[in-house]
Amino acid sequence: MLAGKVAAITGAASGIGEAVARLFVKEGARVVLGDIQHDKLRRLADELGSDRAMAQECDVSQEADLKQLADAAVSTYGSLGVWCSNAGCYHREGVTPLDGLIENLDTADFDRQVAVNLRGVALGTKHAARAMKRGGRGGCIINTTSVAGLVVNCANSGDPVLVSAAYSASKHGIVALTKLGACELAPYRIRVNAVAPGYTATPMLAKTIGLQHLSKEELEAELAKVSIMPGVALRAEDIANGMLYLASDMGRCVNGHTLVIDNGLVAGVAGYVPGLETDTA
Ligand SMILES: NC(=O)c1ccc[n+]([C@@H]2O[C@H](COP(=O)([O-])OP(=O)(O)OC[C@H]3O[C@@H](n4cnc5c(N)ncnc54)[C@H](O)[C@@H]3O)[C@@H](O)[C@H]2O)c1
């Protein structure tokens, strides 16, 4: 589905980004992989093959790195057709849910999340669009937001669980950037969309909920137990499939859209009113 396309993916060394890299290559794309975990990234690029993938150290909070990533796609593979702003971060390790409240806001932590999650997406769009406009063949930009970018209570059921202010605000901002980018770049046939994953079995989620000691399969089993769709845990591959749809010609008229992949979590919590009893009559 992506034969002949060149894609750049940030946060590609792990989790969702790694799954996107593997799927895009399987579907015929050549990929430029960016991340701050360079050893892991290089191992993945080696495994995918040097004719298909290259690793480029890229910290998305640094504009020069994003420019280099876009330029590397053009200089190595001749064009840039798909850009995935997928890198993201949560609080530093060891924070409790209370650290996410506005009243406990830590300026450095807040600024880091905004710089990576939000500014990284804005500047990624800037440099991807520049390369795509030069190519003159349109393109597709996909941003990874979150269910926390759509609602602020992400409990599966029962009492509301407020998500971190810094994380949620930065992920809500990505939805706005996606709509703005879609309108600004439509004249150049560059589409800008987002995916909003629910709780997905990746190292980031494992760390966030203190289950980093579990294997991928064990983590999935734990998530499956609390999923609103009994027994079904979201995998990184499920999110990658959504990105493939948006990146391929199947999504050719989809623009400014946020594709929610969450087992239906947001559909439920959006209408959840704390304190309202379930009607059992
Ligand atoms: N896993 C979930 O439940 C979930 C839910 C909603 C949204 N997301 C989002 O999905 C995206 C991917 O996360 P994941 O779950 O695959 O986590 P992950 O930790 O497995 O992967 C994230 C990758 O981003 C990289 N990264 C972090 N900061 C970076 C920076 N400054 N520059 C470049 N790379 C950087 C990390 O090194 C890592 O390889 C993130 O944007 C995250 O916010 C994840």
Side-chain angles (χ1 to χ4, degrees):
M1 285 165 72
L2 297 180
K5 299 219 191 225
V6 178
I9 303 156
T10 70
S14 168
I16 294 168
E18 178 183 344
V20 173
R22 291 182 184 282
L23 182 62
F24 280 17
V25 165
K26 188 168 151 240
E27 291 295 329
R30 284 168 295 170
V31 293
V32 180
L33 311 175
D35 205 294
I36 46 175
Q37 299 192 68
H38 200 237
D39 288 347
K40 249 184 120 183
L41 195 70
R42 215 173 17 213
R43 280 199 297 275
L44 176 63
D46 287 348
E47 188 193 324
L48 294 172
S50 59
D51 54 332
R52 287 276 140 205
M54 68 164 283
Q56 168 91 28
E57 202 155 348
C58 172
D59 178 345
V60 299
S61 68
Q62 305 300 315
E63 180 169 8
D65 287 11
L66 289 162
K67 180 177 182 303
Q68 258 177 24
L69 193 71
D71 289 346
V74 177
S75 59
T76 309
Y77 295 130
S79 64
L80 178 65
V82 182
W83 175 277
C84 300
S85 272
N86 169 75
C89 68
Y90 197 64
H91 292 276
R92 63 195 180 280
E93 255 180 78
V95 293
T96 69
L98 290 179
D99 292 312
L101 297 179
I102 296 169
E103 67 176 2
N104 297 332
L105 193 148
D106 175 277
T107 309
D109 197 32
F110 187 90
D111 288 353
R112 188 178 63 92
Q113 289 192 59
V114 170
V116 173
N117 295 346
L118 184 60
R119 199 181 67 202
V121 169
L123 293 172
T125 304
K126 172 181 171 181
H127 291 288
R130 180 183 49 83
M132 288 171 183
K133 279 185 197 173
R134 257 202 331 251
R137 281 181 285 159
C140 171
I141 295 170
I142 304 169
N143 302 320
T144 306
T145 175
S146 166
V147 287
L150 302 168
V151 293
V152 297
N153 161 27
C154 287
N156 275 339
S157 61
D159 290 337
V161 175
L162 289 179
V163 290
S164 144
Y167 186 74
S168 186
S170 58
K171 292 295 186 181
H172 270 75
I174 293 177
V175 177
L177 284 172
T178 299
K179 293 179 190 170
L180 287 162
C183 296
E184 184 179 323
L185 298 171
Y188 305 95
R189 290 187 293 122
I190 298 169
R191 298 182 292 114
V192 187
N193 293 293
V195 290
Y199 297 114
T200 308
T202 68
M204 180 179 182
L205 180 72
K207 256 185 258 158
T208 304
I209 59 177
L211 295 179
Q212 59 271 46
H213 53 285
L214 298 186
S215 69
K216 196 174 164 216
E217 293 70 27
E218 288 167 337
L219 179 62
E220 268 180 40
E222 286 305 309
L223 292 181
K225 284 185 204 160
V226 293
S227 169
I228 65 160
M229 210 180 265
V232 182
L234 289 166
R235 299 177 178 142
E237 291 75 13
D238 296 309
I239 315 305
N241 285 336
M243 295 211 198
L244 174 62
Y245 163 70
L246 292 170
S248 74
D249 284 346
M250 284 208 295
R252 74 186 192 101
C253 297
V254 182
N255 195 20
H257 181 68
T258 295
L259 178 60
V260 184
I261 304 174
D262 72 340
N263 276 336
L265 179 67
V266 160
V269 292
Y272 174 74
V273 182
L276 191 71
E277 294 302 321
T278 308
D279 184 0
T280 51

